[in-house]
Amino acid sequence: SESVAVDTLGFKLDRDISPGEAYFLDFNTNECHSRICASSTSPSPCIFEYVYFARPDSIMDGISVYETRLKMGEKLADKVMRIYPDHDIDVVIPIPDTSRTSALQAAYHLNKPFREGFIKNRYIARTFIMPGQETRRKSVRLKLNTIKSEFAGRNVLLVDDSVVRGTTANEIVQMAREAGARKVYLVSAAPPIRYPNIYGIDIPTREELIAYNRDEEAISKIIGCDWIVYQDLKDLEDSVSECCSPEKEVINNFDTSCFSGKYVTGESIGDKYFERISMLRNDDAKQKRENGGNGDRKSQSSHNGCESVSNDKRLSTIPKNHSCESLSNKADINQI
């Protein structure tokens, strides 16, 4: 769905596939065929793609992801000023990488300096989908390191794209304090995530979400920040709608299920489907799968988010006399 997939291959973006449309390319005749297969359709793109998953240089449904994130930062700054008009923020710091665009615009509207305070290790996987709380905590420390001079003696506003379990946020707030920050405030470009996603995003079960049955005050205490501000859902929807291309119809309907609990396909919280999703996605189930079904055996598939070279189970397709060494190539004891 992202235009960058087309850009990087050297092609030109023609249009997006419409809701309910089937598109068939006949390689024998080089002809394209398309048909709308549903009697009634309504564009309802997943709004979380604009918040987090999509690359900022992508265009989806005629909407620039980069522009939407600028809007998110702008509206987030407006909310901070409404709630805390006498705030004492000294500096705005993004939590890499996705929140950088929103943080930049928030800093501009707050009239505060924007600074890079965290440096990211690009070889660590996404922490919120890792199995096990301890693994996630350790991975945050491996994933990020602070530039202490940007925190020392300052009241910092940390900007994140979203807060899922709160594990990453809690660890990052601690790192900011250890780097010398006087006060640590946290804002999220997305609303509180209180419901599971059933359309492909591996969001944890409701009970594992930090915003489940909690308000902002309770969440800030768990995370350890002085206060937290979330984006309003209406502001998030407007951030995307206001960036629609003038040549295209404005999109006003989105899948916001992980924020609102309303599912575009009609499911309701409490259905048996959600019970099944919970059984598959909870921490215990993930840990068991990581351990190959043995809950007591330590997982060898990941080392705090870093993939082990010896974990490659693929058969090598590289000839033995090839100059490149295969990951799965191990010394034969009979050849030593």
Side-chain angles (χ1 to χ4, degrees):
S1 63
E2 294 189 46
S3 63
V4 289
V6 177
D7 297 338
T8 54
L9 292 174
F11 295 102
K12 181 181 177 182
L13 178 66
D14 182 38
R15 67 177 180 88
D16 293 287
I17 302 297
S18 300
E21 180 183 8
Y23 197 90
F24 176 70
L25 174 61
D26 191 331
F27 285 103
N28 294 318
T29 63
N30 288 330
E31 293 181 346
C32 300
H33 308 272
S34 120
R35 178 183 298 174
I36 299 296
C37 303
S39 56
S40 63
T41 62
S42 174
S44 301
C46 173
I47 206 163
F48 204 59
E49 285 199 70
Y50 295 94
V51 171
Y52 178 63
F53 279 107
R55 272 176 44 167
D57 51 335
S58 277
I59 296 175
M60 302 189 302
D61 297 303
I63 302 170
S64 163
V65 175
Y66 178 78
E67 295 292 335
T68 66
R69 290 178 183 169
L70 288 175
K71 283 282 186 183
M72 292 174 204
E74 178 182 328
K75 294 180 185 297
L76 198 52
D78 289 342
K79 185 173 182 180
V80 169
M81 289 188 285
R82 285 198 312 270
I83 300 175
Y84 300 104
D86 300 320
H87 67 77
D88 55 355
I89 297 167
D90 293 320
V91 64
V92 177
I93 295 177
I95 298 174
D97 276 320
T98 316
S99 66
R100 188 172 280 114
T101 308
S102 296
L104 185 63
Q105 192 72 345
Y108 177 78
H109 277 264
L110 290 169
N111 196 26
K112 296 296 176 182
F114 171 89
R115 292 289 185 269
E116 295 284 357
F118 295 100
I119 300 301
K120 184 179 179 182
N121 178 347
R122 298 182 182 275
Y123 302 99
I124 301 296
R126 288 170 174 151
T127 53
F128 80 89
I129 59 175
M130 289 180 179
Q133 189 79 342
E134 189 58 31
T135 298
R136 288 189 291 269
R137 288 189 183 280
K138 289 180 179 178
S139 297
V140 173
R141 295 279 177 164
L142 290 173
K143 184 178 182 179
L144 297 173
N145 193 35
T146 56
I147 300 175
K148 293 179 173 55
S149 59
E150 295 297 343
F151 294 91
R154 293 176 174 176
N155 300 329
V156 299
L157 179 69
L158 303 181
V159 181
D160 207 350
D161 51 78
S162 57
V163 182
V164 184
R165 299 175 187 264
T167 307
T168 301
N170 173 261
E171 207 67 28
I172 285 173
V173 168
Q174 287 186 41
M175 291 171 67
R177 294 196 188 280
E178 289 168 8
R182 281 203 310 260
K183 294 180 182 177
V184 181
Y185 308 120
L186 179 65
V187 292
S188 168
I193 299 175
R194 293 193 166 102
Y195 304 93
N197 181 284
I198 61 173
Y199 304 122
I201 301 176
D202 189 13
I203 286 178
T205 59
R206 289 186 73 189
E207 292 76 13
E208 294 170 343
L209 298 169
I210 193 169
Y212 176 66
N213 280 345
R214 295 187 182 98
D215 60 13
E216 281 81 351
E217 184 179 354
I219 294 169
S220 63
K221 287 180 180 178
I222 294 172
I223 290 176
C225 58
D226 292 274
W227 49 251
I228 186 170
V229 170
Y230 284 96
Q231 187 88 268
D232 291 332
L233 181 56
K234 179 66 166 61
D235 283 342
L236 176 59
E237 292 174 326
D238 289 346
S239 295
V240 182
S241 294
E242 291 171 9
C243 294
C244 285
S245 169
E247 293 82 25
K248 297 198 68 172
E249 183 181 352
V250 175
I251 298 176
N252 292 310
N253 298 318
F254 301 93
D255 168 45
T256 61
S257 53
C258 54
F259 308 119
S260 64
K262 297 177 181 178
Y263 296 86
V264 294
T265 48
E267 286 82 4
S268 300
I269 294 292
D271 292 351
K272 287 186 177 180
Y273 184 74
F274 287 92
E275 294 179 13
R276 180 172 176 272
I277 288 288
S278 178
M279 290 176 63
L280 291 171
R281 289 185 178 177
N282 66 64
D283 255 358
D284 290 342
K286 285 184 177 181
Q287 195 69 58
K288 191 172 183 179
R289 285 197 297 273
E290 285 287 313
N291 293 341
N294 185 346
D296 296 327
R297 184 168 62 87
K298 185 177 180 181
S299 170
Q300 295 180 356
S301 62
S302 180
H303 299 267
N304 294 326
C306 299
E307 195 71 12
S308 168
V309 173
S310 62
N311 193 38
D312 195 321
K313 306 301 181 186
R314 297 169 296 178
L315 294 174
S316 174
T317 57
I318 302 175
K320 288 186 177 180
N321 60 352
H322 196 279
S323 60
C324 297
E325 190 74 7
S326 167
L327 288 177
S328 57
N329 194 23
K330 296 181 180 179
D332 188 342
I333 194 169
N334 296 321
Q335 296 178 359
I336 298 177

